[in-house]
Amino acid sequence: QKKDAVIYKQSWDKQKMFWGFYLGMNKKNYKISYINNETFVTSKAAAGFNVGLIGDLKLHNNINLRFEPGLSSNTKKLHFRNNNLITPQDSVREANSTYLRFPLLLKFSTNRFYNIRPYVLGGLSYDYNFSSNQDNPQDNLDREFRMKKNNLYYEVGFGIDFYMFFFKFTPSIRGVFALNDETVPDVDPNSPWTSNIASMKTRGVFINFTFQ
């Protein structure tokens, strides 16, 4: 004989505001465009972490507006292939990035099915790069690869809300894509590092675990 399923947090979705926090990891790299084919850059990224808070406003039974301020960090190593760069010190640069992030997202959820509720989301994010050396007068001649402080991204993702006995747990995956060029060109217009770079834009994958 089939037993009735236990439904947790039955009145949860009647609230107008929701609060929580998230922890996660990311893998972010650069999409690089060139002016011509004389210079090539290989970017190798290490896994990073995400942590932040969630404020969620219910707009409709299936639509929520989310604000997710938080921190995100990762490291990328850039390998330049150019005949003018001979030594390893010249051809390798490291880009360390720690971002203060302000994503504003719309979340579209299905109707709840027992203790699960899938959703998709999308929106924009402003990111401030704490590790930026944009104002540093030194550039690649002094082994400083400069990146911009202020960046704008769009984000799309999906996840599943699991209603637990004490809280709601949500694993999710998200794609993050920069809208602006993040490179600060070298002072020398013929720089072997940046003169042939048309743009460098972050793109990455975030895996978050949310608790509400």
Side-chain angles (χ1 to χ4, degrees):
Q1 183 178 0
K2 183 178 179 181
K3 296 182 179 180
D4 293 335
V6 177
I7 308 298
Y8 298 121
K9 297 287 184 181
Q10 295 186 44
S11 60
W12 177 269
D13 295 322
K14 295 179 182 179
Q15 301 176 77
K16 189 69 176 178
M17 289 291 299
F18 306 86
W19 308 98
F21 68 93
Y22 63 88
L23 304 167
M25 63 193 73
N26 69 70
K27 191 70 175 291
K28 294 192 290 186
N29 217 324
Y30 291 121
K31 179 181 179 182
I32 305 173
S33 300
Y34 302 98
I35 298 173
N36 55 52
N37 294 323
E38 293 180 4
T39 306
F40 295 90
V41 184
T42 301
S43 177
K44 297 181 179 179
F49 72 90
N50 321 309
V51 61
L53 303 174
I54 294 174
D56 190 306
L57 174 64
K58 181 180 177 181
L59 302 178
H60 181 270
N61 289 336
N62 300 93
I63 303 175
N64 293 61
L65 180 66
R66 295 176 70 111
F67 182 52
E68 300 182 355
L71 290 173
S72 170
S73 180
N74 87 325
T75 299
K76 295 170 281 291
K77 188 166 287 188
L78 306 173
H79 297 263
F80 293 83
R81 298 195 298 275
N82 187 304
N83 293 332
N84 296 321
L85 303 175
I86 301 174
T87 68
Q89 291 81 4
D90 285 338
S91 59
V92 178
R93 292 289 182 267
E94 196 167 86
N96 298 312
S97 301
T98 300
Y99 295 96
L100 179 60
R101 310 189 69 244
F102 298 99
L104 188 62
L105 309 162
L106 279 174
K107 175 185 176 184
F108 301 90
S109 304
T110 67
N111 291 330
R112 178 172 173 172
F113 181 74
Y114 292 102
N115 290 314
I116 66 171
R117 196 177 192 190
Y119 69 85
V120 296
L121 56 73
L124 296 174
S125 172
Y126 164 74
D127 288 20
Y128 181 86
N129 188 356
F130 280 119
S131 303
S132 168
N133 48 8
Q134 177 177 334
D135 299 326
N136 191 338
Q138 297 179 323
D139 58 20
N140 277 293
L141 285 175
D142 302 291
R143 300 180 183 175
E144 288 287 338
F145 190 83
R146 299 181 295 178
M147 305 299 295
K148 293 179 180 176
K149 293 180 183 177
N150 303 295
N151 302 285
L152 188 64
Y153 297 77
Y154 72 90
E155 307 187 8
V156 292
F158 64 92
I160 301 177
D161 292 330
F162 290 94
Y163 296 81
M164 316 294 283
F165 185 78
F166 289 109
F167 56 86
K168 186 170 73 170
F169 171 67
T170 307
S172 64
I173 187 168
R174 186 179 307 176
V176 178
F177 308 90
L179 294 171
N180 62 287
D181 177 22
E182 300 178 55
T183 320
V184 178
D186 290 340
V187 175
D188 181 3
N190 298 313
S191 165
W193 294 276
T194 63
S195 63
N196 193 42
I197 295 177
S199 68
M200 290 180 65
K201 299 180 179 181
T202 294
R203 59 181 178 182
V205 175
F206 282 37
I207 298 176
N208 286 338
F209 302 96
T210 300
F211 301 85
Q212 289 180 279

